[in-house]
Structures are given as C-alpha cells and as structure tokens.
Amino acid sequence: MEIIAVNDITPASSAPPSRGATPEATVAAFVSRAEVDPAVVGLVLSGSQAHDGMTTGHSDYDVHVITQDQGHSAVRELDGFRSEHLDIVVMPLADFLIRGLPGDPQGWQRYAYVHARVLLDRLDGTIAEILDRKRRLGLEEAWNAANGYLDAYVNQTFRSLKSHRDGRAAMSHLDAAESVPFALEVLFALHQRVRPYNKYLRWELERYPLSGPQWEVDHLMNTLLRIIADGDPDTQRSLFTDIEEAARQAGHDQLLDSWGSDLNLLRRQT
C-alpha cells in the first residue's frame, strides 16, 4: 500500500486519529504515527482493503497494531477505535501469536489474517512468519477441524431430513439452514483452508477454487442458497453425498461409520 506523507503527526498523543480528506490519507497519517511509537513492532492490514476488488465507497481500513508485550504505547489506548475511514485493533505480540489459532477464544477471527498484508515488521520478519502460520490449516489441525465439523454437519442434516420425513417442514427448513455453516467448515478444512467470512465466500471460491468439479463456484453457491431458501431435501442429499465422498477420501470413515444406517436417509437417491 502506498503511504502518503503526512506532516504534523504527534506520536506521543493518545488522541483519536485525525480524519484525512480520504481514507488513504487517514490511514497514512495513522501509520506514520504508529511507526514512531517505539512500542509498536508490527502493523497488519486486513479486511476488504486486503482483498483485491472487494472495496466499495464505504470501505474503511482495518489495521491491526502489534505492540511489545511490556512497556507503554501511545497507540495502545486506541484499541477498538472506529471511524468511517479507519478501524483499529491493538494487541500485544503474545496475543497476536495465538490469535485465531486453535484454543484461542477468538478463533473465529482466523480468516481476517488469511489475506492480510504486513505494513510494518520491526522484528526481522517475525510478524510475517506469524501471519503466514494463520493463512492455512496445518495437517493435524485441518483433520481435527474437518472431523469435528463433519459430525455437526451430519447431525444437522439428519435432523432436517428426519423432520421432513415426519411432516415438519418448517423445522426441517430451519435445521437445513443451520447445516450450511458446518458444511462450509468441513469443505474448507478438507482443503486445509480457513473458512472465509460469508462476505468473501464467492471471492475466495473464484480466486482460489476448491478441487473438484462438484465445488465449482456457481454450482456450490446455488446449492447452498437453495438449501437456505427452502431446505430442499434432494439438494441436501446431493451435497451430503459429495461431502461424504470427499471426507472418506480424507480418512474420516470412522466418524461417518459411527452414524450407521442413519446415513441412508442423507444420501443421494439413485
């Protein structure tokens, strides 16, 4: 990102960042301010500005500020600052090290780092290395995630199709809609990928496709939207059958087999 030179920055101040004429000017002023704060060891750009083609006239800049674990930082008090141009998250290095990783209570933030860009790294590449660790799931991490979400996905789909069989259409629809997030978690984990936020799902699938024609972007999106729209049983069964095949290829037979004959209700009818 091109940084615009801005004069009259007061780095020692904890006052809110001044608003520039443009979002670029505002973030440039803040970056200049953070760069001269001795406690700041890294700056990371996230959000739509880190996703080519996703910005709009309403897009702000999401900047994550990494500080030393000890010592005073003038910008530390700006954690959580939001304006129409700038959204600031401040965290010590120890928190950044684990943010979004397994065991972190804020693990849901993981995707924020998948395409994030380093604006400042005072630790000779350490910030970039930590960021790279967050971009993809490790082999064991991916297997565990896929296995856990697979069980949840099977459970939710089974509940939906059982309610449909028993004439409870509304309840079936609700369960079908709730199965979609679990399905996405499984699909991305099977590819050692972090599930994107919904805002970036099509963007992710178009630029970094999942392997296999059954996951082609338009086909997959239409399938998910149909399930959310009305819980169509045949669409649910088609998706489940494809996910079951992929999951078994990845070694999740034991989990699937634990469901026994109940899986017959979930499979594509031939």
Side-chain angles (χ1 to χ4, degrees):
M1 184 186 71
E2 181 181 359
I3 301 300
I4 304 170
V6 177
N7 297 322
D8 301 323
I9 303 301
T10 54
S13 171
S14 59
S18 57
R19 184 184 186 281
T22 66
E24 290 73 23
T26 300
V27 74
F30 176 72
V31 169
S32 296
R33 174 177 172 177
E35 284 178 331
V36 295
D37 186 326
V40 174
V41 297
L43 295 171
V44 171
L45 176 68
S46 184
S48 58
Q49 298 289 353
H51 291 73
D52 294 336
M54 283 297 293
T55 58
T56 71
H58 303 286
S59 297
D60 63 3
Y61 280 79
D62 297 287
V63 179
H64 297 234
V65 182
I66 319 303
T67 64
Q68 295 177 6
D69 293 332
Q70 304 295 329
H72 173 73
S73 167
V75 302
R76 189 167 289 155
E77 298 176 26
L78 298 177
D79 182 33
F81 172 85
R82 286 185 174 86
S83 73
E84 61 179 320
H85 288 176
L86 189 59
D87 188 343
I88 299 172
V89 175
V90 183
M91 71 185 80
L93 181 62
D95 287 354
F96 179 62
L97 187 64
I98 64 170
R99 182 56 47 86
L101 298 182
D104 176 24
Q106 299 188 56
W108 56 270
Q109 294 191 30
R110 177 73 170 266
Y111 184 75
Y113 299 106
V114 170
H115 299 287
R117 302 171 185 173
V118 177
L119 301 180
L120 174 69
D121 189 342
R122 283 205 181 108
L123 300 179
D124 299 323
T126 297
I127 298 297
E129 290 175 3
I130 295 172
L131 193 59
D132 286 343
R133 167 67 182 88
K134 303 173 191 289
R135 297 188 194 277
R136 289 187 65 86
L137 304 180
L139 281 172
E140 182 178 358
E141 180 186 6
W143 195 93
N144 289 336
N147 211 56
Y149 284 116
L150 180 62
D151 201 27
Y153 167 63
V154 174
N155 180 69
Q156 206 65 36
T157 305
F158 179 67
R159 287 177 179 274
S160 174
L161 294 175
K162 185 168 62 171
S163 287
H164 181 269
R165 178 197 63 194
D166 296 341
R168 300 183 178 93
M171 302 305 102
S172 173
H173 185 186
L174 288 175
D175 282 328
E178 290 188 16
S179 75
V180 169
F182 295 130
L184 286 171
E185 293 284 3
V186 173
L187 281 176
F188 279 89
L190 287 173
H191 290 79
Q192 284 187 257
R193 303 260 295 276
V194 180
R195 177 197 163 187
Y197 301 146
N198 292 333
K199 174 181 179 179
Y200 301 111
L201 178 58
R202 175 172 284 276
W203 184 95
E204 189 81 28
L205 291 171
E206 288 177 343
R207 286 160 178 76
Y208 308 97
L210 301 177
S211 60
Q214 68 273 44
W215 314 131
E216 186 272 329
V217 57
D218 287 330
H219 173 73
L220 179 57
M221 290 297 300
N222 289 337
T223 296
L224 298 176
L225 292 175
R226 177 66 192 275
I227 291 172
I228 292 171
D230 61 13
D232 177 61
D234 288 341
T235 304
Q236 288 196 74
R237 290 188 175 101
S238 180
L239 178 62
F240 173 79
T241 301
D242 288 340
I243 288 179
E244 180 185 15
E245 181 180 356
R248 287 190 182 279
Q249 290 175 355
H252 297 279
D253 298 80
Q254 184 175 358
L255 183 282
L256 289 163
D257 290 342
S258 71
W259 281 85
S261 60
D262 286 341
L263 295 186
N264 293 331
L265 182 64
L266 279 63
R267 292 176 175 133
R268 184 185 294 122
Q269 305 298 303
T270 57

